[in-house]
């Protein structure tokens, strides 16, 4: 053994001893010790060893525990988390590289006999998104694939479109959607243009988790020899044509204020609205700069679900006379909306939650289709299990079918489009502000949602009504529905254990009363069983298998759905309350009644979850 090798072994042994000592003092969890030890001793992590050794020398135990206590999971859409240069529980070159390598390995296994395999790749405005996109491209090329590369900030639905247009075998979108600036991620797509579904998802996860060597070809080399092809302009043009083909005829006279929330949206939303005939559209300049810091939004979180992102744009709109505000998240696959309560732009404004937008667009699309005789007995819309049942009632009103027995995640909506028949698909929606029409993509599209919402606002203005007026009309016609989302954050290793324990409790020992209403039954989508309360009888449940529990309350149409987030360390409680149409004619009274009901349910759930 050379003196250099002996010195290296001595350094590693010392580092391992320091890790064990930190664990003995309670400064590192067992999972962190195991993962750090692997990163110190296994050749596949050799390039990260100097940085890790420096952290150990600095006794940065809290940082090390945070980034090593577990292996970052491959969740509902891919791998997402905080960026850090090292760590099995962080987004870095190793974890992103494993994700791309695992995908490449699986595609090559499944399509071993296919020549000319390919992958489409795009990225958003987040920090290091371009770097991670290049890394993924380098890996896919090394695996023998051609890469179609969108070389500028572009929207997630454009990546979905590119996969389908170029007939790629897979796709990768580098984005963490609406997460904080600290985060990044990869979303993985299959040849359909939708995010990976069973059995591909589990098979890809297996390859990702067992990844050893990550093989790359230098990006510039792949670009020069044609293995990477830049297709940005081509996709822009073709995507614009496909999305604009989903338009409906009608007025276009409405003043639109649009905010991309520092994301990619302006590159696609503005030309789409222009192509659809809207002449008076302005980008809200404080949010116009593409920036991964999201500097001018509250808390630096560009999430259109957060009503606070509309505060400053509303103040501007009141001064400038804009009649509707549209916001898309950083990768432009979600839509948020604000509008004056009446047609007086100087008066009060209000925002719409994801369920309300889902209902407004469902009614607009179905109404427009019916008016043009484009609805058939086979026409169907799609929603998830945690999206408002108001959408189903609207579909029934127009004679369309609603497919709604789906888990959370737009990949499931995409799967149903292809399984049931794209030619009869009308509209898909989910409560987290995701909407789609047409067949050009298999993921939610904030741009086409902006177009449809603008058309709706213009048609209502022409009739002397506001978006809020139409929402009220839907309530009096179909019954008042009030939904709410409550998040309970549980971070770190202790948080993960707490989430698992809480979900187990809801399954085995659920509350018998929530918000003053009895719990009638518990639907467990993990075991696919329904338990009656209070007699405890169990029956099979017809539904998709997943980590979701729904508690049906004694009052019909009122229920609570509980699931751990697939992308963030939290448990999500979806609250659903409703009244019949007969009981909803006095809307202020209905709103007060259900607001009080939601508050009571929220208080009960928080007490149960934190007890």
């Amino acid at each position: 053994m050379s003196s250099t090798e002996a010195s290296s072994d001595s350094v590693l042994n010392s580092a391992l001893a320091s890790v064990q000592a930190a664990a003995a003092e309670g400064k590192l969890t067992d999972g962190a010790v195991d993962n750090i030890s692997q990163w110190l001793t296994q050749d596949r992590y050799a390039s990260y060893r100097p940085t890790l050794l420096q952290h150990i020398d600095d006794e940065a135990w809290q940082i090390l525990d945070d980034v090593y206590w577990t292996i970052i999971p491959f969740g509902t859409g891919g791998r997402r988390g905080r960026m850090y240069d090292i760590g099995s529980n962080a987004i870095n070159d190793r974890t992103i590289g494993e994700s791309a390598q695992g995908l490449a390995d699986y595609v090559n296994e499944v399509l071993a006999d296919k020549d000319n395999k390919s992958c489409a790749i795009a990225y958003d405005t987040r920090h290091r998104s371009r770097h991670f996109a290049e890394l993924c491209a380098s890996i896919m090329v090394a695996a023998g694939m051609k890469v179609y590369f969108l070389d500028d900030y572009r929207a997630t639905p454009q990546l979905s479109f590119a996969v389908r247009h170029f007939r790629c075998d897979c796709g990768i979108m580098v984005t963490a959607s609406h997460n904080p600036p600290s985060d990044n991620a990869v979303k993985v797509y299959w040849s359909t243009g939708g995010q990976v579904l069973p059995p591909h998802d589990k098979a890809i996860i297996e390859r990702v988790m067992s990844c050893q060597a990550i093989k790359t070809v230098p990006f510039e080399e792949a670009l020069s020899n044609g293995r990477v092809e830049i297709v940005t302009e081509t996709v822009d043009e073709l995507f614009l044509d496909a999305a604009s083909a989903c338009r409906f005829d009608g007025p276009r006279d409405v003043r639109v204020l649009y905010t991309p929330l520092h994301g990619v949206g302006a590159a696609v939303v503005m030309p789409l609205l222009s192509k659809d005939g809207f002449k008076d559209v302005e980008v809200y300049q404080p949010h116009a700069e593409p920036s991964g810091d999201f500097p001018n939004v509250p808390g630096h979180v560009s999430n259109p679900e957060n009503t606070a992102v509309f505060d400053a744009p509303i103040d501007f709109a009141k001064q400038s006379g804009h009649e509707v505000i549209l916001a898309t998240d950083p990768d432009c696959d979600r839509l948020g909306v604000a509008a004056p309560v009446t047609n007086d732009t100087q008066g009060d404004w209000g925002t719409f939650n994801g369920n309300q937008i889902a209902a407004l667009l469902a009614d607009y699309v179905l109404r427009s289709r019916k008016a043009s005789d484009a609805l058939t007995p086979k026409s169907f819309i799609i929603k998830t299990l945690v999206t408002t049942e108001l959408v189903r009632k609207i579909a029934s009103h127009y004679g369309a079918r609603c497919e709604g027995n789906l888990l959370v995640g737009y990949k499931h909506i995409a799967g149903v489009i292809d399984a049931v028949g794209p030619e009869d698909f009308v509209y898909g929606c989910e409560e987290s502000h995701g909407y789609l029409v047409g067949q050009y993509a298999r993921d939610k599209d904030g741009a086409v949602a902006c177009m449809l919402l603008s058309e709706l606002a213009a048609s209502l203005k022409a009739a002397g009504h506001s978006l809020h007026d139409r929402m009220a009309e839907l309530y009096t016609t179909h019954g008042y529905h009030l939904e709410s989302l409550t998040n309970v954050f549980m971070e770190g290793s202790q948080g993960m254990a707490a989430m698992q324990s809480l979900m187990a409790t809801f399954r085995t020992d659920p509350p018998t009363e929530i918000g003053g209403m009895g719990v009638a039954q518990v639907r467990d989508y993990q075991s696919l069983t329904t338990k009656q309360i209070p007699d405890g009888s169990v029956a099979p449940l017809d539904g998709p298998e997943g980590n979701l529990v729904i508690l049906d309350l004694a009052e019909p149409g009122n229920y609570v759905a509980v699931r751990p987030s697939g992308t963030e360390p939290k448990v999500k409680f979806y609250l659903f309350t409703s009244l019949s149409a007969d009981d909803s004619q006095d809307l202020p009274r209905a709103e007060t009644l259900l607001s009080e009901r939601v508050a009571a349910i929220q208080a009960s759930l928080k007490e149960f979850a934190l007890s």
Side-chain angles (χ1 to χ4, degrees):
M1 179 184 295
S2 69
S3 59
T4 301
E5 290 174 327
S7 174
S8 177
D9 286 346
S10 175
V11 169
L12 286 179
N13 289 334
S14 175
L16 289 166
S18 295
V19 169
Q20 292 295 334
E25 295 174 9
K27 296 177 180 178
L28 289 175
T29 57
D30 291 343
V33 172
D34 183 51
N35 290 319
I36 290 171
S37 298
Q38 290 187 46
W39 279 55
L40 283 172
T41 60
Q42 295 184 8
D43 289 343
R44 54 178 164 163
Y45 304 117
S47 63
Y48 304 94
R49 196 172 295 149
T51 304
L52 177 53
L53 287 171
Q54 187 61 57
H55 278 66
I56 293 172
D57 285 346
D58 294 341
E59 298 185 355
W61 303 123
Q62 186 58 60
I63 293 175
L64 288 172
D65 197 62
D66 288 343
V67 300
Y68 279 107
W69 73 268
T70 190
I71 298 174
I72 194 167
F74 211 87
T76 53
R79 223 170 191 181
R80 183 185 302 193
R82 293 181 182 177
M83 290 179 281
Y84 203 71
D85 287 342
I86 58 172
S88 56
N89 186 44
I91 291 295
N92 47 52
D93 282 8
R94 178 66 204 188
T95 53
I96 291 290
E98 289 172 348
S99 303
Q101 188 69 60
L103 173 63
D105 291 346
Y106 179 69
V107 170
N108 279 331
E109 289 176 34
V110 173
L111 304 175
D113 297 330
K114 182 183 178 184
D115 296 326
N116 303 318
K117 291 185 280 291
S118 63
C119 174
I121 297 177
Y123 59 93
D124 71 358
T125 63
R126 286 181 175 273
H127 297 302
R128 306 197 76 194
S129 282
R130 178 57 158 66
H131 167 77
F132 289 140
E134 280 196 14
L135 173 61
C136 290
S138 299
I139 292 168
M140 306 313 280
V141 169
M145 298 186 204
K146 177 169 183 175
V147 170
Y148 296 96
F149 198 79
L150 278 74
D151 194 19
D152 200 350
Y153 305 132
R154 286 300 180 266
T156 288
Q158 288 179 283
L159 182 279
S160 175
F161 173 84
V163 171
R164 294 176 60 79
H165 173 73
F166 293 110
R167 299 185 179 181
C168 296
D169 302 292
C170 58
I172 298 172
M173 180 71 198
V174 181
T175 177
S177 188
H178 56 280
N179 280 38
S182 58
D183 294 6
N184 216 325
V186 286
K187 294 180 181 179
V188 175
Y189 290 76
W190 200 241
S191 57
T192 60
Q195 293 181 47
V196 289
L197 286 163
H200 304 305
D201 53 356
K202 291 182 180 179
I204 292 170
I205 290 170
E206 290 174 1
R207 275 69 175 178
V208 170
M209 294 306 177
S210 61
C211 178
Q212 295 293 318
I214 297 172
K215 301 175 183 178
T216 63
V217 169
F219 183 81
E220 292 301 325
E221 176 185 322
L223 189 61
S224 64
N225 65 26
R227 298 303 296 165
V228 171
E229 180 181 346
I230 305 301
V231 295
T232 319
E233 291 184 6
T234 299
V235 170
D236 282 349
E237 181 179 348
L238 295 174
F239 180 87
L240 193 62
D241 289 342
S244 63
C246 299
R247 68 186 295 277
F248 294 104
D249 292 334
R252 297 295 188 264
D253 177 23
V254 64
R255 296 199 67 195
V256 178
L257 181 64
Y258 168 66
T259 166
L261 299 179
H262 297 293
V264 306
V268 60
V269 171
M270 296 300 287
L272 181 59
L273 290 182
S274 176
K275 191 175 180 68
D276 192 31
F278 290 93
K279 306 297 185 185
D280 199 348
V281 184
E282 181 178 353
V283 175
Y284 181 63
Q285 287 304 304
H287 294 170
E289 176 196 5
S291 171
D293 290 320
F294 313 126
N296 296 323
V297 295
H300 307 294
V301 178
S302 291
N303 187 354
E305 298 177 72
N306 177 14
T307 59
V309 305
F310 287 98
D311 290 346
I314 286 174
D315 288 341
F316 178 82
K318 285 184 175 182
Q319 299 170 11
S320 58
H322 287 92
E323 296 161 311
V324 63
I325 301 172
L326 307 177
T328 55
D329 64 340
D331 64 326
C332 195
D333 63 354
R334 300 170 191 247
L335 167 70
V337 181
V341 175
T342 66
N343 282 329
D344 178 12
T345 60
Q346 303 298 311
D348 292 336
W349 282 61
T351 58
F352 297 86
N353 64 37
N355 283 306
Q356 291 173 319
I357 300 170
L360 285 168
L361 289 180
D363 181 74
Y364 174 66
V365 170
L366 289 165
R367 182 190 298 255
S368 300
R369 283 266 199 148
K370 193 173 186 67
S372 59
D373 293 323
L375 279 182
T376 74
K378 293 183 178 181
S379 297
F380 68 96
I381 70 168
I382 314 172
K383 76 176 196 70
T384 67
L385 282 161
V386 298
T387 302
T388 179
E389 282 292 291
L390 178 56
V391 168
R392 186 188 301 276
K393 295 178 181 178
I394 292 169
S396 177
H397 176 75
Y398 289 104
R401 191 174 76 260
C402 178
E403 298 279 348
N405 201 10
L406 282 74
L407 294 174
V408 175
Y410 220 89
K411 63 181 182 179
H412 299 293
I413 293 176
V416 171
I417 293 174
D418 288 320
V420 178
E423 65 279 1
D424 297 313
F425 169 67
V426 174
Y427 170 69
C429 61
E430 61 179 0
E431 57 76 36
S432 55
H433 293 245
Y435 318 100
L436 178 69
V437 295
Q439 301 179 28
Y440 60 92
R442 290 295 184 274
D443 209 344
K444 53 191 178 287
D445 182 6
V448 83
C450 281
M451 182 183 77
L452 295 174
L453 203 290
S454 298
E455 291 177 5
L456 172 59
S459 66
L460 289 171
K461 176 187 174 182
H465 302 301
S466 70
L467 287 166
H468 293 278
D469 291 336
R470 175 54 56 82
M471 197 71 239
E473 179 187 351
L474 294 178
Y475 285 148
T476 55
T477 301
H478 306 290
Y480 195 88
H481 288 63
L482 181 62
E483 296 84 17
S484 179
L485 174 62
T486 298
N487 295 313
V488 177
F489 283 86
M490 299 178 173
E491 300 199 30
S493 56
Q494 292 181 335
M496 178 62 70
M499 282 195 286
Q500 293 172 348
S501 175
L502 180 60
M503 293 303 298
T505 300
F506 272 111
R507 290 184 166 97
T508 60
D509 189 23
T512 57
E513 183 181 283
I514 298 177
M517 289 184 287
V519 176
Q521 66 176 15
V522 177
R523 288 181 269 163
D524 181 0
Y525 287 84
Q526 194 165 75
S527 64
L528 293 179
T529 57
T530 299
K531 178 191 290 186
Q532 299 299 318
I533 307 295
D535 67 16
S537 61
V538 177
L541 173 63
D542 178 22
E545 183 178 350
N547 196 0
L548 171 69
V549 174
I550 295 181
L551 295 86
D552 292 302
L553 305 182
E555 183 73 23
N558 294 262
Y559 52 100
V560 175
V562 187
R563 59 176 283 267
S565 170
T567 56
E568 298 174 84
K570 63 186 180 183
V571 174
K572 306 181 87 169
F573 295 92
Y574 303 83
L575 283 56
F576 299 85
T577 65
S578 65
L579 297 170
S580 68
D582 288 343
D583 291 332
S584 302
Q585 299 308 300
D586 184 346
L587 283 182
R589 177 182 174 279
E591 181 179 7
T592 298
L593 177 61
L594 291 191
S595 295
E596 292 173 350
R597 184 177 295 177
V598 164
I601 294 172
Q602 286 174 328
S604 291
L605 288 172
K606 286 187 176 180
E607 181 180 358
F608 184 82
L610 300 176
S611 62

